[in-house]
Amino acid sequence: MAIQLDLSTSQYGTAFTGAYFRIVTASISREREDGFSVMIDCSGFATATPTDDTHPVDFRRYHAPLATIEATAGDDFLSKCYTWVMTQEDMTGSSAV
């Protein structure tokens, strides 16, 4: 599972059509007052077949309450994270691949 998104700009000064984003970290932590939260890190690559040596062209970090992720459509925790990330403002126009 991954997310495809056209980047009109990047840290390299060029656009990347069909950038390939995948979740590289999804961690749950206990918050003092608010229960549990989820931190999701996504790396974006210029290729749909990145290797361990491929460097990302973009990186995004998201935070959400665990209850929000659990209430999102999906077959399991990770698919729910992908679905939720695609609803974020900076992922407008993205698609699941």
Side-chain angles (χ1 to χ4, degrees):
M1 177 175 254
I3 300 169
Q4 188 172 14
L5 178 67
D6 292 340
L7 298 177
S8 60
T9 186
S10 72
Q11 63 183 341
Y12 299 105
T14 187
F16 289 97
T17 301
Y20 178 87
F21 283 84
R22 65 180 177 192
I23 292 175
V24 294
T25 304
S27 64
I28 300 170
S29 60
R30 181 146 174 45
E31 300 295 324
R32 187 166 196 175
E33 300 281 328
D34 299 328
F36 291 90
S37 69
V38 180
M39 181 189 71
I40 302 168
D41 290 343
C42 293
S43 289
F45 301 92
T47 177
T49 56
T51 68
D52 288 339
D53 295 321
T54 306
H55 290 273
V57 296
D58 198 356
F59 177 84
R60 299 171 185 203
R61 175 169 282 172
Y62 303 95
H63 296 273
L66 177 59
T68 300
I69 300 297
E70 289 177 331
T72 302
D75 294 332
D76 54 32
F77 178 73
L78 194 56
S79 65
K80 291 177 182 206
C81 288
Y82 273 104
T83 301
W84 182 84
V85 165
M86 289 176 54
T87 67
Q88 301 312 293
E89 185 175 322
D90 63 347
M91 284 292 193
T92 299
S94 65
S95 59
V97 292

